[in-house]
Amino acid sequence: MECNIERNLKDCNCSYEPCSRKGKCCECVRYHRAMGELPACYFSDDVEKTFDRSIARFIKSRK
Ligand code: SF4
């Protein structure tokens, strides 16, 4: 199975530029899951820009 980095990047809203996991969704999910967080694409663009990827912030953003 091939990696779809270029396609993934088209859907990625993450504004944290130095991240080496951008477009590598499996690595992105693994990293944030280990931190008790969610990836950028779970958040609206304005919330994503705060870099608060906590589950609590996600729930708050959905209320
Ligand atoms: S959501 Fe996190 S791991 Fe994924 S590309 Fe952005 S900063 Fe990197």
Side-chain angles (χ1 to χ4, degrees):
M1 186 173 168
E2 289 182 27
C3 188
N4 296 308
I5 290 178
E6 293 307 315
R7 186 189 175 288
N8 292 344
L9 284 172
K10 288 180 185 161
D11 295 329
C12 181
N13 69 336
C14 182
S15 61
Y16 188 67
E17 286 305 331
C19 186
S20 61
R21 299 178 193 89
K22 214 172 268 195
K24 301 173 190 170
C25 301
C26 50
E27 292 185 19
C28 179
V29 169
R30 185 184 307 126
Y31 173 78
H32 284 291
R33 181 178 173 160
M35 304 281 282
E37 300 174 343
L38 293 164
C41 54
Y42 276 75
F43 301 90
S44 62
D45 289 349
D46 57 324
V47 176
E48 184 283 320
K49 285 181 178 58
T50 68
F51 300 137
D52 181 354
R53 314 257 193 258
S54 66
I55 293 170
R57 188 68 183 87
F58 172 74
I59 292 169
K60 186 178 170 191
S61 73
R62 296 292 165 147
K63 284 186 178 174

